[in-house]
Amino acid sequence: MELVQGMKNRDEFRMFEKQIRKWGTDIIHVDAEISERVMFYVQEYWLNHSMVVADALIAATAIRKSETLSIHTDA
């Protein structure tokens, strides 16, 4: 969702969809547990850490799927 928000037009979106299929990427749909975690994270961390919904969604999904998040920087 976050990637799609940054797209300029439908053509760019279609190219993105094509590439996602080419990579064989799984799309993880939000379920009730992810949604509940997102709500908790936003409520808990919005004022102290400025956590936005997109970041809460990524964190909640990673936790739900037992995945690890890492930070990559271009240095």
Side-chain angles (χ1 to χ4, degrees), residues 57-68:
L57 184 59
I58 292 166
T61 303
I63 289 169
R64 172 75 167 92
K65 297 295 182 176
S66 301
E67 296 290 337
T68 301

Side-chain angles (χ1 to χ4, degrees), residues 32-49:
E33 184 178 334
I34 292 171
S35 180
E36 288 172 17
R37 285 180 188 265
V38 169
M39 192 66 170
F40 171 78
Y41 294 151
V42 170
Q43 289 173 347
E44 195 69 21
Y45 300 111
W46 165 247
L47 292 176
N48 295 337
H49 303 288

